[in-house]
Amino acid sequence: MMLRRLLPLALVCLGAFIVYGCGGGEGTDTGSAGSAGTAGSGGSSSAGAAGTGSGGTTGAAGSGGGGTAGTAAPAGSSGQAGRGGAGGAAGTTARGGAAGTATTGQGGTAGTANPAVSCNWPTPTSTVMLSATQTITGTYDGTMRRFVGTGALGTSGQTENQGPLFNVPNGGTLQNVIIGNPAADGIHCEGTCTLKNVWWEDVGEDAATLQGSSASQVMTIDGGGAKAAADKIFQHNGPGTMIIKNFCAQDFGKLYRSCGNCDMQYARHVELQNVLIVPSNATSALVGVNSNYNDTAKFSAITIKAASNSLTVCQRYTGNNTGAEPPKSGSGADGTVCMYAASDITWMP
């Protein structure tokens, strides 16, 4: 009987013992090790937290296995540097020009210096009398002989329409000539021509006249000199350009005049280069041009043996084709008709 009562009690104790353990209060289970932390990306994982057992001896800290150290995340690829513009292909090294034969490289052709101009009249080798105009062909060399007019050409005044001693056709050259007195109307040029080293001892009506009919014709007076001209030295009746260079002009009214009242009027041009001027008290102007016909006058390296500004360098007129005396319209450099700077004129009193 007693045994049947104790059996249930024993079963109860056995169950309690199984559940809580026998003989005491609440024992503590050893805490389970914390789960290994998941490896952090790129960093070590946190250690697993120790599972604290309720009551009883503190369970051993779960060796929270440090998670396998996460593989360090690869550094982000550096962004590609922006490409600069493609460098131009390196130029092939330029080859130096082939060395000249001369050791010193040739420089540019040196500019020719203006020759010295003097008013020393040459001595003629002989004298030739001309009673009729002499028309030359090609290049005529007078070999420094003096030519003097006689008969119909034996005049030395200012009467218009006198004949010339020489007629120079288009393309001709007259050189090394001395024109004596009487000289009639000097020399006529019928187009492009050259008067080289020609000297006028006593200018008649005019020393030389540019006639012709082409706007492109050029009359060049290179070297020589003229003196004792009561009025003009050079007369320009046709179109085109007259160039006067390396020349001496002494005792004259004007060195150059574009016709102021011819029946046919044109634009005329004159260029004076390296000219020595020895004016007399009667000198009125160096150059006379017609502004209303678009004439031009250019000056460079002009030496005037006179007091500063005592001579009109460039006189402008209003020309006509009626034969009337043309009135003056101004003087001095204006950049359009009379073209020169102060440095182009040297005064030597």
Side-chain angles (χ1 to χ4, degrees), residues 30-37 45-51 59-68:
T30 302
S32 302
S35 301
S45 63
S46 304
S63 298
T68 304

Side-chain angles (χ1 to χ4, degrees), residues 6-338:
L6 290 175
L7 183 56
L9 180 60
L11 293 173
V12 170
C13 287
L14 179 58
F17 177 81
I18 292 170
V19 175
Y20 297 105
C22 287
E26 297 177 346
T28 57
D29 290 331
T30 302
S32 302
S35 301
T38 303
S41 289
S44 56
S45 63
S46 304
T52 305
S54 299
T57 307
T58 303
S63 298
T68 304
T71 305
S77 300
S78 300
Q80 284 186 323
R83 294 182 181 176
T92 304
T93 303
R95 295 182 182 178
T101 302
T103 302
T104 303
Q106 288 185 323
T109 302
T112 303
N114 287 330
V117 177
S118 73
C119 291
N120 296 324
W121 262 252
T123 300
T125 56
S126 64
T127 298
V128 179
M129 306 301 291
L130 294 178
S131 59
T133 298
Q134 182 172 340
T135 297
I136 70 166
T137 57
T139 297
Y140 179 84
D141 192 331
T143 64
M144 299 311 294
R145 290 175 292 170
R146 176 192 284 130
F147 294 83
V148 178
T150 186
L153 299 179
T155 58
S156 58
Q158 296 300 305
T159 304
E160 295 292 334
N161 302 316
Q162 298 179 59
L165 296 185
F166 287 95
N167 188 66
V168 183
N170 184 54
T173 297
L174 180 66
Q175 64 186 24
N176 301 323
V177 166
I178 300 171
I179 305 296
N181 180 38
D185 201 29
I187 300 169
H188 285 185
C189 182
E190 300 299 334
T192 294
C193 73
T194 300
L195 306 182
K196 188 173 181 62
N197 195 35
V198 176
W199 298 82
W200 289 263
E201 294 178 326
D202 190 337
V203 175
E205 182 185 355
D206 299 311
T209 302
L210 175 56
Q211 298 180 330
S213 58
S214 172
S216 63
Q217 67 188 14
V218 178
M219 178 179 183
T220 302
I221 298 100
D222 185 358
K227 64 180 178 178
D231 188 10
K232 308 172 298 295
I233 293 179
F234 296 115
Q235 175 75 19
H236 195 163
N237 290 346
T241 301
M242 186 181 294
I243 298 173
I244 306 165
K245 63 182 182 178
N246 312 319
F247 191 82
C248 168
Q250 181 175 344
D251 299 332
F252 57 90
K254 289 184 182 68
L255 173 56
Y256 166 93
R257 180 68 170 101
S258 171
C259 185
N261 53 13
C262 286
D263 293 340
M264 291 293 294
Q265 292 287 27
Y266 312 93
R268 304 182 181 99
H269 313 285
V270 63
E271 298 179 15
L272 276 66
Q273 308 165 9
N274 192 34
V275 175
L276 175 61
I277 306 298
V278 185
S280 69
N281 293 332
T283 300
S284 59
L286 187 55
V287 163
V289 287
N290 304 312
S291 56
N292 59 319
Y293 291 126
N294 299 317
D295 289 357
T296 61
K298 298 179 181 179
F299 303 79
S300 63
I302 308 300
T303 301
I304 303 175
K305 289 191 173 182
S308 180
N309 299 317
S310 60
L311 168 68
T312 299
V313 173
C314 187
Q315 180 68 58
R316 296 187 292 277
Y317 294 87
T318 300
N320 63 75
N321 60 358
T322 65
E325 188 64 25
K328 296 179 180 179
S329 61
S331 63
D334 64 354
T336 303
V337 177
C338 298

